[in-house]
Structure formats: structure tokens, C-alpha cells
């Protein structure tokens, strides 16, 4: 997506951020590229008008998520939380909003189970959404924003059955080294791993 005045910056951590720059103004755009939040922020900077006020109904799921993400964004700005956590939670909670945004924030567990089951074709995304919702309600309960128990509590994650990872053979190592010649980062990484038997972590 190419937008006038928007540049992409890659931080040393690997995180990518998008900056609006025009004249003396340089601002980091909010939200995921292409999202409503991102485009609204871009339009407000381009046109020189204030950001539109959220139309979320007070006490709704969308309202609660908005408060949580705003607080998480402040914590990221103060280096008390990871930008990757913010990015992940924003993405996964968008699914919650799309399903239950206008519903009461005091969500019954059955509603979350229904959404989790609906996402069964993508078990990783379903479980990550569950983690984000759990963090959202832990935060909300501590601040007396909801009266319900955490709806993500005791919801079982999807168990994925796999055959595990096949160990490499000597031919696999030889093929990799042929593909990644001397001086490449990929070759160095493999040789260091082989030579030091380092843990994956």
C-alpha cells in the first residue's frame, strides 16, 4: 500500500513502523496498515483535522477493547510492554470486535467458546485470540470495568497433533551448505549451532 507522505521504517528490533512526514510534521501512524484506525489517523494528518471520535457504545466489547489497547499503547510508549504484544493483541481482538463489538462487555464464557470453535480451522489463531481476550479481561477486572469473571478462564486450547520435526540427515546438512555459500549469515548460523550444540531458546 503506497500512500503520499508515508514511509516505512524498520527498527533494530525488526519491528516495522509507518511514519507520516510532511513539512515539519513526523508522526508514527497508529494501527495495522489498511485498518480503520490506520486510515483514520492517516486521513486526519493529511487533512489537518482531529481524529474521529470512536462511536463505540460505552460498556460494549468494542469500548472495552479500545480502552485496553489505548492503555497498552501507553505502556509500550513507556517501555513497559512490547510493541509485538500490542500488534498481536490489536490483531486478535479485532476478531472479537467483529463478532461481538456492540454486545455488553460482560461477556459470557459460552460466547467466547462459540468464537473459539468457529476459528477451529486455524487453531494457532484461535488460541492466540483466546490469550488476547484473557489479557483483556484480566486488565478490565482489575480496574472494575466489568463485573463478569474472565470468560477465557478454563476454555481449553485446541490440541494440535503433529508428527514432530524430522531430524536432518548428513545429506540435508550437505545440501544446506551447498545452497548457502561461505560468508553467508545462514551458513554461519548453522555451523555455530552444529559446533556449540546450542539450545534453540
Amino acid at each position: 500500500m503506497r500512500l503520499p507522505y508515508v514511509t516505512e521504517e524498520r527498527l533494530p528490533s525488526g519491528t516495522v513502523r509507518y511514519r507520516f512526514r510532511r513539512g515539519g510534521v513526523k508522526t508514527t501512524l497508529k494501527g495495522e496498515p489498511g485498518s480503520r484506525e490506520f486510515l483514520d489517523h492517516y486521513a486526519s494528518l493529511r487533512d489537518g483535522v482531529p481524529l474521529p471520535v470512536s462511536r463505540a457504545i460505552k460498556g460494549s466489547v468494542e469500548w472495552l477493547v479500545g480502552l485496553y489497547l489505548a492503555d497498552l499503547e501507553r505502556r509500550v510508549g513507556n517501555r513497559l510492554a512490547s510493541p509485538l504484544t500490542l500488534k498481536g493483541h490489536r490483531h486478535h481482538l479485532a476478531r472479537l470486535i467483529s463478532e461481538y463489538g456492540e454486545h455488553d462487555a460482560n461477556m459470557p464464557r459460552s460466547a467466547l467458546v462459540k468464537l473459539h470453535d468457529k476459528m477451529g480451522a486455524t487453531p494457532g489463531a484461535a488460541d492466540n485470540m483466546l490469550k488476547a481476550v484473557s489479557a483483556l479481561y484480566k486488565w478490565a477486572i482489575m480496574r472494575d470495568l466489568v463485573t463478569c469473571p474472565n470468560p477465557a478462564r478454563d476454555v481449553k486450547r485446541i490440541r494440535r497433533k503433529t508428527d514432530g520435526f524430522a531430524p536432518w540427515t548428513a545429506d540435508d546438512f550437505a545440501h544446506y551448505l551447498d545452497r548457502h555459500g561461505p560468508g553467508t549469515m545462514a551458513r554461519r548460523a548453522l555451523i555455530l549451532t552444529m559446533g556449540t550444540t546450542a539450545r534453540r531458546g
Side-chain angles (χ1 to χ4, degrees):
M1 184 171 61
R2 296 183 181 276
L3 296 171
Y5 314 113
V6 176
T7 57
E8 179 183 301
E9 292 184 1
R10 187 172 295 275
L11 303 177
S13 63
T15 303
V16 175
R17 67 180 178 182
Y18 295 86
R19 305 274 275 170
F20 179 92
R21 181 186 296 184
R22 184 170 62 182
V25 176
K26 187 175 181 182
T27 308
T28 300
L29 288 161
K30 299 177 180 179
E32 294 293 313
S35 68
R36 184 175 68 181
E37 182 184 21
F38 182 93
L39 294 173
D40 283 348
H41 195 196
Y42 170 74
S44 74
L45 292 168
R46 182 197 61 203
D47 300 336
V49 297
L51 270 170
V53 178
S54 172
R55 296 186 180 89
I57 302 165
K58 187 173 182 180
S60 67
V61 168
E62 185 176 7
W63 168 83
L64 185 66
V65 170
L67 293 178
Y68 171 68
L69 291 178
D71 182 68
L72 185 54
E73 193 169 331
R74 280 193 295 273
R75 282 185 278 153
V76 169
N78 293 326
R79 298 184 179 181
L80 299 174
S82 165
L84 294 177
T85 300
L86 174 61
K87 181 179 179 181
H89 285 200
R90 184 178 280 135
H91 173 75
H92 295 297
L93 292 173
R95 183 64 185 265
L96 182 71
I97 290 173
S98 69
E99 294 285 336
Y100 299 114
E102 295 182 357
H103 289 68
D104 192 318
N106 290 293
M107 174 181 284
R109 183 180 302 156
S110 58
L112 187 58
V113 170
K114 183 179 178 182
L115 176 57
H116 191 243
D117 290 345
K118 188 175 179 179
M119 297 174 67
T122 53
D127 287 348
N128 285 333
M129 182 274 300
L130 206 58
K131 289 178 188 175
V133 172
S134 179
L136 165 68
Y137 276 89
K138 282 179 184 175
W139 175 88
I141 289 167
M142 286 179 63
R143 289 158 179 80
D144 294 327
L145 295 171
V146 293
T147 55
C148 67
N150 193 327
R153 186 177 177 184
D154 298 328
V155 178
K156 291 186 177 179
R157 306 307 197 252
I158 299 172
R159 295 188 178 215
R160 286 156 283 186
K161 292 184 178 180
T162 67
D163 296 328
F165 296 99
W168 274 20
T169 64
D171 287 340
D172 291 325
F173 283 102
H175 180 70
Y176 185 93
L177 294 173
D178 286 342
R179 173 69 180 81
H180 301 284
T184 61
M185 186 65 73
R187 187 184 186 94
R188 286 193 199 110
L190 179 63
I191 290 171
L192 281 170
T193 304
M194 291 170 64
T196 60
T197 61
R199 290 168 57 116
R200 184 177 65 173

